[in-house]
Amino acid sequence: MNRNTMRMKGKIKVIEITNGYVFNPDIKSFKQQTLTINSNESETIDAQNKYIIPGLTDMHTHISPFYAKYYLLSSITNVRNTAGMYELINTIDEVSPNIYPTYKMIDGNPGLWGPSGDGHIATNDIVEAMNTVKELHAQGAKFIKVYGNIKTDVLVAVVMQAKQLGLQVAADLIHAHEQTDALHAAKVGVKYLEHASGIIQCLYSEYEPGDFEEMFFLQDVDIDSDVLDDTLDELKSRDIVLVPTLSLYRKNAFGKITVPNTNLVDKIRQDQNVTLDEMFEKLEPSRTSNYKRYAEWEYAVMKIITKRYIDMSGKVYIGTDAPAGFWNYPGYSMIEEMNIFNELGLSPSEVLHRATVMPMEVIGKHENYVILNNNPLDSFDHLMDIYGIVLNGKYYAKEEIESHTIDAAAIYKKFES
């Protein structure tokens, strides 16, 4: 039965995008064709002289209802939420990327973010940590995240409990000491190294996280290539995934926006429901001269680690950690991250493939597409110049997304109750 016959019988409805140039994952380029997408409504969109891509996926971010739509305006239709408040995330409406979530992250006591709160638990108690894994599973978390102060015995128990429930474990080990480095985490069953963290601890026996004074003797980024290769070979043999969030490291070092087109940032700043600039302004004084020097060194090391792992065919995904850190705007930072991957030597088509098709291995296949006014392979800035998006079987024009509002007062009231 052909598609038109099925339409007449009312069996299915489809959105057709005609006359556009569609990104073909096999050839990593664009080819003019018609896209047919299962839908809740029948609609034909003329995409003459437009470019169609699968939606981007930010593989490490922290979404909120207050700025969810700005991911869409940056061509992001999926996010991997790497910790946050369960109740807050579940207030997000449909004008938002699909969320592949975890919620409360598990840290040791004392917690790097203080005592247990809505977005994390700080504990050295194995039973409490295992119960948190069960709670997250019941909430629908897709994976578990652990943080840098977690104790070894607790980490082992968390991984074991997660495995029993069919969940993988991601670790942020930026602030971890040598007893919980990347190799140790990999050996006990951690799957993801967020921020490509824990690897520096394997490379420098002198490394003390956060010690901005003592690290200056390493400023020349003098990495032992044999140690680096041995470390990454071991990680690759265990199929460890890196999500390096290089734009976060760059912002820590330089604290400035790197993409020329700032129209999207202007929109975020003008949105009264978004208070990110206030947060960034409060954080900025902590970027002392010593911190900046240390952060420049750290950024240089992380680029070397990321490039070497990619060259070894290790799994590396693109993510941003927005809005954590300094001036790290949701959506917009994804464009910065893609530019850095391009600077590492990946072609624009390889970067686009890595940001669109590759994440489906983790989050699952989707039929969300972005229609762009210009070719993103000419400039990733064009990813912020959308014409429209097909999201979960519905078409949204750019103007519809831009004008979408939330009831911020109702959200705040819900939390007060």
Side-chain angles (χ1 to χ4, degrees), residues 191-215:
K191 176 69 172 180
Y192 292 85
L193 293 176
E194 307 301 323
H195 317 295
S197 58
I199 298 175
I200 283 182
Q201 287 90 327
C202 299
L203 304 180
Y204 301 98
S205 59
E206 308 94 336
Y207 182 78
E208 283 293 331
D211 192 342
F212 309 139
E213 297 292 344
E214 294 301 320
M215 293 300 291

Side-chain angles (χ1 to χ4, degrees), residues 249-263:
Y249 288 109
R250 174 179 271 176
K251 290 288 182 52
N252 289 347
F254 304 108
K256 61 182 180 182
I257 291 171
T258 59
V259 178
N261 181 355
T262 61
N263 291 339

Side-chain angles (χ1 to χ4, degrees), residues 53-127:
I53 63 168
L56 306 180
T57 299
D58 188 333
M59 285 291 286
H60 184 123
T61 191
H62 302 275
I63 194 169
S64 159
F66 303 110
Y67 47 76
K69 73 177 184 180
Y70 295 106
Y71 289 96
L72 299 180
L73 293 171
S74 305
S75 296
I76 298 169
T77 61
N78 309 282
V79 297
R80 178 171 168 264
N81 189 74
T82 49
M85 190 176 180
Y86 172 79
E87 293 82 2
L88 180 67
I89 294 168
N90 281 276
T91 64
I92 297 174
D93 63 25
E94 70 279 358
V95 185
S96 163
N98 294 321
I99 303 171
Y100 186 89
T102 194
Y103 305 108
K104 192 178 294 182
M105 63 183 177
I106 304 172
D107 197 6
N109 187 21
L112 289 164
W113 286 94
S116 297
D118 294 319
H120 76 286
I121 182 171
T123 184
N124 297 333
D125 183 88
I126 288 175
V127 174

Side-chain angles (χ1 to χ4, degrees), residues 10-188:
K11 296 291 185 183
I12 64 170
K13 295 181 179 180
V14 297
I15 293 176
E16 279 191 339
I17 306 176
T18 62
N19 302 317
Y21 295 95
V22 180
F23 185 69
N24 186 314
D26 296 326
I27 61 174
K28 294 185 174 65
S29 187
F30 285 91
K31 180 180 179 181
Q32 192 168 37
Q33 66 183 85
T34 294
L35 263 184
T36 304
I37 305 157
N38 290 336
S39 174
N40 304 319
E41 53 196 33
S42 293
E43 189 169 359
T44 299
I45 301 159
D46 185 1
Q48 185 76 38
N49 298 323
K50 310 294 184 191
Y51 293 81
I52 299 102
I53 63 168
L56 306 180
T57 299
D58 188 333
M59 285 291 286
H60 184 123
T61 191
H62 302 275
I63 194 169
S64 159
F66 303 110
Y67 47 76
K69 73 177 184 180
Y70 295 106
Y71 289 96
L72 299 180
L73 293 171
S74 305
S75 296
I76 298 169
T77 61
N78 309 282
V79 297
R80 178 171 168 264
N81 189 74
T82 49
M85 190 176 180
Y86 172 79
E87 293 82 2
L88 180 67
I89 294 168
N90 281 276
T91 64
I92 297 174
D93 63 25
E94 70 279 358
V95 185
S96 163
N98 294 321
I99 303 171
Y100 186 89
T102 194
Y103 305 108
K104 192 178 294 182
M105 63 183 177
I106 304 172
D107 197 6
N109 187 21
L112 289 164
W113 286 94
S116 297
D118 294 319
H120 76 286
I121 182 171
T123 184
N124 297 333
D125 183 88
I126 288 175
V127 174
E128 186 177 15
M130 293 176 72
N131 285 338
T132 301
V133 175
K134 294 175 183 176
E135 175 190 355
L136 289 162
H137 179 259
Q139 290 173 338
K142 301 297 185 182
F143 63 104
I144 304 299
K145 182 181 175 184
V146 298
Y147 212 47
N149 265 2
I150 192 167
K151 305 305 177 188
T152 298
D153 57 346
V154 178
L155 176 60
V156 171
V158 165
V159 171
M160 181 186 70
Q161 183 66 74
K163 185 176 181 180
Q164 289 178 1
L165 296 172
L167 301 175
Q168 294 175 332
V169 176
D172 175 350
L173 303 175
I174 287 179
H175 303 288
H177 293 271
E178 57 190 20
Q179 67 267 25
T180 314
D181 61 23
L183 289 177
H184 172 75
K187 287 173 183 175
V188 302

Side-chain angles (χ1 to χ4, degrees), residues 348-416:
S349 60
E350 288 172 327
V351 176
L352 187 61
H353 184 268
R354 193 172 290 269
T356 56
V357 178
M358 275 185 59
M360 295 183 198
E361 300 170 355
V362 178
I363 67 170
K365 188 172 176 59
H366 62 81
E367 282 197 307
N368 297 328
Y369 292 91
V370 181
I371 305 171
L372 299 165
N373 289 312
N374 293 285
N375 189 342
L377 300 184
D378 293 338
S379 170
F380 292 140
D381 275 16
H382 295 157
L383 293 166
M384 296 181 288
D385 183 18
I386 71 169
Y387 179 78
I389 287 181
V390 177
L391 179 68
N392 301 327
K394 183 177 179 180
Y395 175 69
Y396 296 90
K398 177 183 180 179
E399 296 74 19
E400 189 176 356
I401 299 170
E402 286 183 325
S403 62
H404 178 70
T405 60
I406 61 170
D407 189 344
I411 293 173
Y412 284 123
K413 186 175 180 180
K414 178 176 180 179
F415 290 116
E416 289 171 0

